Amino acid sequence: MRRSGRASKKASVGKILAVVLLHRRDWKLLVLHLSIFSMIHPFEVVILATNGYRYMPGIFPTGVDNYLGTYISNFFIIPASAVLIYAYSLSWRYIVGFAAIFTCIDWLFAALGIYQHFWWKSIYTGIGLIIVYAVSGWLWNGLKKRRQVLPFRFLMILLTYFSIESAITFAVNRGGQLFKLLIAYYELSAPGKLQLILASSYHLIVSVIVALFLGIKMPLRYRTLGVGMIIVLNWAIGHFGIFVPQVGITSHHLILVQIVSVAVLIFLFKAAKLNYFFS
């Protein structure tokens, strides 16, 4: 029951996003959507790591359920609402209205036992969303400008790539069926929590490297240094036992995810007419 409900909600949000993109015909909206996930995800990781609340959809073991719950909310639902707001230039009344609706949903989910509050309160959701929508508006205004300063271009490449790589990894890994990122001693005391922290940290490091070597003008030989840094990083997490395979793969296989992620990033920015690379 819960699984079908989550799948239905994700499909509905996907349809809303698809309709908005097709109607507005502006791929910058998808860039905005992806960047919003990357913007709010680190805060969600901190909240979960400090036991703010716990998701309990009942699909995977407890630790993985936390990751699944936060991922669906942050990757699909909240960014889609922001895209809807700025695609149609909705006023602040709608922004406050969306925040109020999500606050009520937060309270309802806690009452139904879909997740459990600890120090987190439903009102924090509403306040946080108003801040998210405000920052999203700043990002959207920047994306619409014909030319942007280097720090903004760097930020957008980083945020968009982080979202793409983490989404592809999440889909391929299927809740840790292919591999896990963990430190055995700490994993025993905090199942799933360390996986979330390490995965997010890993994606962030790779995203910074990609943003640096794609977003800044430099000779080709220096760009190959970025590839080398990612290869060394992948080797390190395997060598020091952070990458724990569940099937016959190694940490070096992660380079395939990064190649695909960079290709998707370049294609998306080209479709959105964002000339942010190599400049």
Side-chain angles (χ1 to χ4, degrees):
M1 175 77 76
R2 287 178 179 177
R3 184 169 189 172
S4 61
R6 289 279 183 175
S8 175
K9 182 182 291 186
K10 185 168 67 173
S12 299
V13 174
K15 290 178 181 178
I16 292 173
L17 181 61
V19 169
V20 171
L21 287 174
L22 289 173
H23 182 251
R24 302 300 296 180
R25 296 183 180 181
D26 191 345
W27 287 98
K28 294 183 184 69
L29 290 168
L30 182 54
V31 174
L32 176 66
H33 181 103
L34 295 174
S35 64
I36 292 171
F37 164 78
S38 300
M39 178 179 64
I40 62 180
H41 185 68
F43 295 98
E44 192 81 21
V45 170
V46 171
I47 293 168
L48 291 176
T50 56
N51 297 315
Y53 53 78
R54 180 179 64 187
Y55 282 93
M56 299 181 292
I59 300 175
F60 295 108
T62 302
V64 180
D65 259 352
N66 267 339
Y67 191 23
L68 178 67
T70 186
Y71 198 89
I72 290 176
S73 175
N74 292 349
F75 192 85
F76 293 101
I77 301 171
I78 294 175
S81 66
V83 167
L84 187 63
I85 288 170
Y86 291 105
Y88 296 104
S89 302
L90 301 183
S91 68
W92 269 97
R93 288 182 298 173
Y94 289 93
I95 291 176
V96 174
F98 273 114
I101 290 171
F102 281 118
T103 300
C104 293
I105 292 174
D106 182 283
W107 175 85
L108 179 62
F109 277 13
L112 294 175
I114 295 176
Y115 63 78
Q116 180 181 4
H117 284 166
F118 295 107
W119 63 262
W120 186 260
K121 306 297 181 183
S122 295
I123 189 63
Y124 299 164
T125 298
I127 296 172
L129 281 173
I130 290 176
I131 296 173
V132 167
Y133 291 144
V135 177
S136 299
W138 175 76
L139 292 177
W140 178 238
N141 288 332
L143 287 170
K144 290 190 296 182
K145 292 181 180 179
R146 185 176 295 274
R147 294 187 63 84
Q148 263 295 353
V149 295
L150 178 60
F152 184 85
R153 298 199 304 268
F154 175 85
L155 177 65
M156 294 311 302
I157 294 173
L158 189 156
L159 292 177
T160 308
Y161 180 86
F162 179 95
S163 185
I164 293 170
E165 183 184 294
S166 60
I168 293 175
T169 303
F170 181 83
V172 171
N173 198 21
R174 295 172 295 173
Q177 293 186 34
L178 297 184
F179 68 89
K180 294 181 179 180
L181 298 178
L182 55 86
I183 300 173
Y185 176 80
Y186 294 101
E187 183 68 11
L188 293 175
S189 61
K193 187 183 297 183
L194 188 63
Q195 163 93 355
L196 178 59
I197 295 171
L198 289 175
S200 300
S201 300
Y202 171 79
H203 294 316
L204 177 59
I205 294 171
V206 175
S207 299
V208 170
I209 295 172
V210 169
L212 280 173
F213 288 91
L214 284 184
I216 299 177
K217 189 175 182 178
M218 64 180 70
L220 179 61
R221 63 180 180 275
Y222 292 135
R223 298 193 192 281
T224 59
L225 178 61
V227 177
M229 291 172 65
I230 293 175
I231 291 174
V232 170
L233 176 63
N234 291 342
W235 167 84
I237 63 174
H239 178 75
F240 293 104
I242 297 174
F243 181 91
V244 180
Q246 307 298 297
V247 295
I249 62 173
T250 70
S251 59
H252 293 295
H253 286 92
L254 291 174
I255 195 66
L256 299 175
V257 173
Q258 282 125 22
I259 291 171
V260 173
S261 299
V262 169
V264 172
L265 176 75
I266 293 174
F267 175 82
L268 175 58
F269 272 54
K270 184 176 181 179
K273 299 179 181 178
L274 297 172
N275 300 316
Y276 286 5
F277 300 131
F278 314 126
S279 59

